[in-house]
Amino acid sequence: MSYATVISEIFKGFSITATVAVIGLLYAIPFAVIFGTLQYFAKGWRQTLVTATIEFWRSSPVIVLLYAFYYSFPAFGVYLSAIAVGSMVLGLNIGGYGSQSVRAALQALDRGQSEAGLALGLNRFLVLRLIELPQAIRMMIPTFINQAIQLVKGTALVSLITLTDMTFRAKEIAQTQYDPSTIYTALLISYFIVCYPITILGRYVEQTLGRGQGGLREL
């Protein structure tokens, strides 16, 4: 089979890859913003609890999490679809990394702005919502785009829990064509085709926002 033919067959699994990635982002972004903010503000045992939650998702192997939620949880009466498990695990794993970017961005802000807000009579929540988070999120956009790329690449693992994504399609083709060199090179090209436009978007956003704003990059 030619590379073009193999790539077209692999892209039959693109809808699953895209679905897992998009739903995963719906987990990752709120988790990163909420837990990064909580880690920044929490003290004592609350900070320990928040940090432990972040580190559970950030430090646990993704493959083990996929197997645990998909294959082990039914023994406890918890049944989740493969898409639900794949999206949640990948999203919260990336969200764990993103939360550290949120925390670091909040710490990098000029304290004088929050103090000025408090002096004007705003409470701490309003200072966070109106002054700190808008600036921090602007700084974090390039990082979030880079983490979105990591999420898309991570979707290759969901083939392990029976989802017919792009990697699963490549495995199916390899079982019938017996040409792993061509097939897996085509799979590599396929993921590059998907991820490279996101990389270009990330660079454009970074240039637009400016490199001198303290944005956190993870290229």
Side-chain angles (χ1 to χ4, degrees), residues 49-181:
L49 180 60
V50 169
T51 301
T53 303
I54 291 171
E55 291 304 322
F56 171 78
W57 290 107
R58 191 166 76 113
S59 303
S60 300
V62 173
I63 292 177
V64 175
L65 289 171
L66 288 171
Y67 283 147
F69 278 89
Y70 189 68
Y71 292 110
S72 299
F73 272 39
F76 301 96
V78 179
Y79 297 90
L80 298 172
S81 69
I83 285 184
V85 170
S87 302
M88 179 184 68
V89 167
L90 291 172
L92 296 181
N93 174 260
I94 292 297
Y97 287 97
S99 67
Q100 300 309 289
S101 300
V102 173
R103 176 188 55 78
L106 288 170
Q107 288 177 336
L109 294 176
D110 182 2
R111 291 294 182 90
Q113 298 183 57
S114 59
E115 291 172 358
L118 293 172
L120 290 172
L122 298 177
N123 61 38
R124 197 65 190 85
F125 175 75
L126 287 176
V127 169
L128 173 67
R129 184 170 68 87
L130 299 176
I131 298 175
E132 293 177 316
L133 270 183
Q135 294 182 75
I137 289 174
R138 180 181 174 87
M139 293 165 58
M140 293 179 296
I141 287 175
T143 299
F144 281 166
I145 292 175
N146 291 327
Q147 289 170 345
I149 296 171
Q150 298 301 319
L151 177 58
V152 173
K153 292 189 292 186
T155 59
L157 295 173
V158 300
S159 62
L160 298 172
I161 54 173
T162 72
L163 283 176
T164 55
D165 69 320
M166 292 165 61
T167 301
F168 190 94
R169 289 290 301 149
K171 290 178 181 178
E172 283 187 327
I173 299 167
Q175 289 172 356
T176 58
Q177 297 299 318
Y178 306 106
D179 187 6
S181 176

Side-chain angles (χ1 to χ4, degrees), residues 1-11 173 179-190 193:
M1 297 177 71
S2 68
Y3 281 110
T5 302
V6 175
I7 290 172
S8 67
E9 289 296 316
I10 287 173
F11 263 86
I173 299 167
D179 187 6
S181 176
T182 298
I183 292 165
Y184 288 109
T185 300
L187 179 63
L188 176 64
I189 294 170
S190 299
I193 291 171

